Amino acid sequence: RAELDEIATAARRAGLVARVQLKADTGLSRGGAVEADWGDLVSHAAALEAQKSDDSFDWKGRLAAGKTLAIRGINGDIRVTAAKGDEAVVHATKRAKKGDVSSVRIKVEPHAEGVTICAIYPGGSGDDCASGNNSRKGRSSGDDVVVDFTVEVPAKVRFEGGTVNGGIDAQGLRADADVSTVNGAIVLATTGVGSASTVNGSVRLRIGSAAWDGRLEARTVNGSVTVEMPEPSDLEVEAGTLNGSISSDFPLTLQGK
């Protein structure tokens, strides 16, 4: 991986396209990657190929029904629509007023549950989507870089999306979905079930199924919440507000204050 990164960095600085061939080679005792590292090496090479320029990123791939496509960002919006075919499509655009867009990397991480694609900022707590996306220590050249994601999700593929400073608009989905942000509004519409959470912004959630196990949330601190769903046969609703009103088109039996 380190050698691939060195090649990619040198190619970007020279303004050239580096052509790298990965192949299986046995019996010649040459240096290279061991079998256990091959999957990670190929995935990393594919991510470098997708990121053909410093300010944009493109990825396409097929996921089996029931698998999850997850997008993780920090600064920027996430826009999601239904894919026309069976291939998931992700496009990201990086922009900044003063910062260095090349300092923020887009990483693709395949795993047993599906694929996670995230924006990793310099100074983070790690180099993967689980840790590298969580925090930044001090100021860096990537502080004001905004990464906007545009995503197409095939039918029967779950979607998870999260950002910190940005809105999420995910409509026309055809499987379960879970989205969250801190500063931004959320619109989520799916034929499955879904949850949506923000702190500063409104939430509008429309789900096509009233059958699920466990708990679904539509939550904000500063903003309105609207939920549209089929009339359920058996549902317990917990609703609360600090400053505002609560109304329902469904008959409810009220408990508590």
Side-chain angles (χ1 to χ4, degrees), residues 90-112:
V90 178
H91 174 74
T93 302
K94 296 186 285 182
R95 51 190 171 86
K97 292 182 178 179
K98 297 181 179 179
D100 179 9
V101 295
S102 66
S103 67
V104 178
R105 298 185 297 111
I106 312 296
K107 188 169 186 182
V108 181
E109 290 187 356
H111 46 79

Side-chain angles (χ1 to χ4, degrees), residues 21-223:
Q21 181 183 23
L22 301 179
K23 65 176 184 178
D25 196 354
T26 60
L28 298 179
S29 300
R30 295 178 179 177
V34 298
E35 182 179 358
D37 296 334
W38 182 250
D40 181 63
L41 179 64
V42 172
S43 296
H44 189 56
L48 291 174
E49 182 182 23
Q51 194 162 331
K52 295 178 181 178
S53 66
D54 287 340
D55 60 356
S56 66
F57 167 90
D58 289 282
W59 176 88
K60 294 182 180 181
R62 287 181 170 83
L63 290 87
K67 297 298 183 180
T68 300
L69 174 61
I71 302 295
R72 307 293 182 200
I74 292 181
N75 297 321
D77 298 332
I78 301 175
R79 297 286 179 264
V80 191
T81 58
K84 295 180 180 179
D86 61 354
E87 194 170 49
V89 178
V90 178
H91 174 74
T93 302
K94 296 186 285 182
R95 51 190 171 86
K97 292 182 178 179
K98 297 181 179 179
D100 179 9
V101 295
S102 66
S103 67
V104 178
R105 298 185 297 111
I106 312 296
K107 188 169 186 182
V108 181
E109 290 187 356
H111 46 79
E113 291 76 29
V115 173
T116 298
I117 299 177
C118 66
I120 296 184
Y121 284 71
S125 56
D127 191 44
D128 55 51
C129 290
S131 59
N133 205 29
N134 294 334
S135 64
R136 301 194 298 277
K137 300 177 181 178
R139 299 192 62 81
S140 71
S141 60
D143 276 352
D144 77 333
V145 176
V146 174
V147 182
D148 294 317
F149 287 95
T150 302
V151 186
E152 297 178 20
V153 182
K156 300 182 180 180
V157 172
R158 297 185 72 256
F159 176 75
E160 294 180 2
T163 186
V164 177
N165 299 306
I168 300 178
D169 189 313
Q171 300 189 60
L173 303 187
R174 294 165 289 179
D176 296 351
D178 188 349
V179 297
S180 65
T181 184
V182 176
N183 298 306
I186 293 177
V187 177
L188 173 60
T190 179
T191 59
V193 297
S195 291
S197 174
T198 184
V199 175
N200 299 306
S202 62
V203 171
R204 189 173 187 89
L205 173 63
R206 183 169 70 247
I207 59 177
S209 173
W212 67 84
D213 295 325
R215 182 185 181 96
L216 294 184
E217 289 189 341
R219 174 179 298 194
T220 185
V221 176
N222 299 305

